[in-house]
Amino acid sequence: MSATCPFACGYKCDDGYALQLHIEEHHTEDSPFVTNDRPLLPKRPKTDDLRTHESRSSNNSTQRSDSEWFKCTRPGCGAYIALTDIDEHLAVHESIAAVDTDEQQSTADSHSTSSRTTVTTKRRSEPSRRKLAKDEPPKQSTGIMRYFMGTSSGSMPLLNPLKHHRPVGRLGTKDLGPHAFEKAMPANVRRDLENNARPRSENRIGSDGKLVRRVFVPNETPGLIPVLADLSDLDHNIATANYCDEHVKHVNKLSTDGNWCGYWNIQMLLSHIYAVSPRRENRELPLPNVLRMQDTIEAAWDAGIGTHGRVETGGIRGTRKWIGTQEAAAYLQHIQHEVTALSFKSTKSSKDPPACVQLLDYIEAYFLSGRDVASRYGSSYVTQLPPIYFQRAGHSMTIVGLERRVDGDRNLILFDPSFATSSGMLRLVDGKVAHARIETLMAAYRKDVGKLEHWDEFEILIPQAQDESGVR
């Protein structure tokens, strides 16, 4: 599929990397879209409170034009990406493609696999898991909980509660995306959202050789958390890892026009909320589609929850306008589920750690707090904690874990709704062998400091555990 230069110079090519190189060579020096190596989230006029939408990746005060959003031409993608995020986006595509290529080649070379790397993560018993553990992770100090609560005198997160703020007026494409002013989404997009995530069924051969009928949702992958925990344990570069509740599903985008990351991430939180609900009818609920979620957010505004969102967006029902952390909070609060919302910001003081370090510190302490009742996978721990909605400029994802490397560095483990689960990971979920290196399988999920330090501000949203989950 041919890609066209977003600067309208007439250049076309069939490869995203070639287009990126063209932009760097011919449009970087004098381009009005040039950004610093560490782009900041845009500052809100007349307010210190942050409201990050999925599009915020510019620090200038001018209105972003549609041409600054690069529409990914990879088959099945079509996501609108800020020019500053192209490298990261294409790198994930490449890592998933590498896994899929390994699987395809392994099928063709099924009789000569001696030179190929194979990985299996079939469930092991607890005694054998302990034998596979590398070094015991450092014991949790008494100060870690003070650190987690923000009371430690050491290097700790600069906790900033995410506050509701007074409306700043109607937002535009800079904040709501290319479709900021549409009255209604196209009919074909609406049909895709209504129909493409409906449950389907297929017949498969079970482990006992019998025919089994399986019901599934095309863009949902359950069972990934235990597989990721096993892969972290098998990776000799990882000292220990901590993960969220194993019931969390990876929800990826549907093949339709528009960026819906905020909605997919809410669905990932809901996959946990539904699964751990004490009410059986809630545990069997299907995840709501985007149109239903828009109705719920509008109902939250009607009920007085986060009403500034309606002023800033002009309403979202039936449109492709982007949403962010505040809309996710309004949704969860409307279904009677309380949340903790925090932001992490870099400061001008050299004494304060950058936002990415604050974030990693907080997330690590968060998962350590759940180890007492965690399931052990060698050096990995799968807790019962909720996943975390994660927002940075231009995109939102879901935090499902954190790895600490043997060299002391850390990897955030994320479910990115922009990408479908690779064929290799699907094989591992099914208890089969994957023909790819662990690093390649994990590349789509890991974000280290080097990848996070390009942003100076982050937001997170954590659903709180409740005795009753009033999901709707």
Side-chain angles (χ1 to χ4, degrees):
M1 184 179 294
S2 178
T4 303
C5 176
F7 293 101
C9 68
Y11 177 82
K12 294 184 178 181
C13 67
D14 296 324
D15 181 75
Y17 281 121
L19 178 59
Q20 181 185 345
L21 180 62
H22 165 80
I23 291 171
E24 292 175 353
E25 289 181 344
H26 299 281
H27 298 291
T28 300
E29 197 169 321
D30 300 317
S31 170
F33 304 121
V34 170
T35 59
N36 295 323
D37 289 337
R38 291 165 57 100
L40 302 175
L41 291 165
K43 295 182 179 178
R44 274 279 183 253
K46 300 182 181 179
T47 179
D48 292 330
D49 297 323
L50 174 69
R51 182 176 185 272
T52 306
H53 283 280
E54 293 179 359
S55 60
R56 293 176 191 164
S57 60
S58 172
N59 196 36
N60 60 52
S61 59
T62 60
Q63 178 101 329
R64 172 180 284 148
S65 65
D66 290 354
S67 63
E68 192 170 349
W69 297 109
F70 173 82
K71 189 171 183 178
C72 182
T73 58
R74 289 296 179 98
C77 186
Y80 292 92
I81 309 298
L83 293 179
T84 52
D85 298 341
I86 290 177
D87 275 342
E88 180 183 5
H89 184 82
L90 292 180
V92 178
H93 271 307
E94 290 301 319
S95 66
I96 293 174
V99 174
D100 293 341
T101 298
D102 285 342
E103 293 303 323
Q104 292 169 3
Q105 290 179 349
S106 69
T107 301
D109 306 339
S110 57
H111 298 293
S112 58
T113 59
S114 58
S115 63
R116 306 193 62 77
T117 302
T118 61
V119 176
T120 180
T121 60
K122 286 186 177 181
R123 298 280 73 77
R124 303 184 290 268
S125 65
E126 185 64 20
S128 64
R129 286 180 191 164
R130 291 190 178 279
K131 289 179 183 177
L132 283 172
K134 293 178 281 296
D135 297 323
E136 283 291 320
K139 293 187 179 297
Q140 183 172 323
S141 69
T142 56
I144 192 66
M145 294 315 296
R146 294 200 308 272
Y147 168 92
F148 181 61
M149 298 304 294
T151 58
S152 169
S153 59
S155 174
M156 64 180 183
L158 305 176
L159 303 183
N160 300 299
L162 192 63
K163 301 175 182 177
H164 293 292
H165 63 278
R166 286 177 291 183
V168 298
R170 182 68 163 86
L171 301 176
T173 55
K174 181 179 69 173
D175 300 292
L176 303 178
H179 309 294
F181 298 102
E182 75 174 2
K183 299 298 182 183
M185 68 180 73
N188 66 305
V189 174
R190 187 180 186 91
R191 285 194 299 271
D192 289 340
L193 295 175
E194 288 177 333
N195 300 323
N196 290 358
R198 293 183 186 275
R200 302 178 186 179
S201 61
E202 65 177 4
N203 292 325
R204 303 184 66 180
I205 303 298
S207 56
D208 57 358
K210 296 181 179 179
L211 197 64
V212 178
R213 191 167 185 80
R214 182 178 76 105
V215 178
F216 67 100
V217 178
N219 70 324
E220 297 177 12
T221 307
L224 273 174
I225 297 298
V227 169
L228 290 169
D230 265 341
L231 290 175
S232 293
D233 174 56
L234 293 170
D235 190 336
H236 297 295
N237 295 312
I238 302 300
T240 187
N242 298 283
Y243 285 90
C244 68
D245 170 45
E246 67 178 359
H247 297 99
V248 178
K249 299 176 181 178
H250 178 207
V251 181
N252 60 269
K253 71 183 295 295
L254 297 174
S255 182
T256 190
D257 187 61
N259 282 17
W260 310 93
C261 298
Y263 298 99
W264 310 139
N265 286 302
I266 294 174
Q267 287 185 334
M268 290 191 238
L269 301 190
L270 289 176
S271 70
H272 160 79
I273 293 172
Y274 287 11
V276 302
S277 172
R279 292 154 56 180
R280 181 176 179 180
E281 63 269 25
N282 287 344
R283 295 197 295 271
E284 298 174 353
L285 284 173
L287 297 177
N289 64 33
V290 169
L291 302 175
R292 282 184 56 200
M293 295 169 73
Q294 289 182 336
D295 289 341
T296 301
I297 293 171
E298 291 275 356
W301 293 339
D302 291 338
I305 303 173
T307 53
H308 55 278
R310 176 172 285 154
V311 175
E312 294 182 338
T313 64
I316 60 171
R317 182 181 280 118
T319 73
R320 290 172 288 176
K321 299 172 188 175
W322 295 348
I323 65 170
T325 314
Q326 296 285 7
E327 286 73 31
Y331 181 98
L332 293 174
Q333 288 173 325
H334 186 66
I335 64 169
Q336 309 302 313
H337 211 93
E338 292 305 312
V339 297
T340 295
L342 299 170
S343 66
F344 303 90
K345 306 178 184 180
S346 296
T347 70
K348 296 181 179 180
S349 173
S350 59
K351 297 181 180 179
D352 294 331
C356 60
V357 174
Q358 298 173 39
L359 172 72
L360 290 168
D361 286 349
Y362 185 89
I363 298 303
E364 184 171 33
Y366 169 79
F367 284 120
L368 285 174
S369 72
R371 272 197 177 185
D372 289 345
V373 292
S375 298
R376 185 79 178 270
Y377 290 74
S379 59
S380 298
Y381 296 79
V382 176
T383 70
Q384 298 176 16
L385 296 171
I388 300 172
Y389 185 103
F390 173 61
Q391 182 83 57
R392 54 88 165 158
H395 193 34
S396 63
M397 292 163 276
T398 296
I399 298 172
V400 297
L402 183 141
E403 296 175 323
R404 181 170 279 278
R405 296 171 54 85
V406 293
D407 60 8
D409 289 342
R410 292 169 291 185
N411 299 321
L412 207 57
I413 306 298
L414 297 156
F415 281 171
D416 190 333
S418 296
F419 305 98
T421 306
S422 69
S423 57
M425 292 299 289
L426 290 175
R427 289 181 60 84
L428 292 176
V429 169
D430 287 341
K432 301 175 182 178
V433 173
H435 303 86
R437 298 170 63 233
I438 293 174
E439 294 83 357
T440 307
L441 290 164
M442 291 291 290
Y445 304 96
R446 286 172 171 164
K447 292 285 187 293
D448 58 17
V449 171
K451 295 177 181 177
L452 294 170
E453 66 182 358
H454 297 294
W455 294 277
D456 286 337
E457 197 162 357
F458 305 99
E459 290 179 349
I460 62 172
L461 188 70
I462 309 173
Q464 299 302 296
Q466 292 185 342
D467 294 333
E468 287 289 327
S469 294
V471 292
R472 299 175 187 171

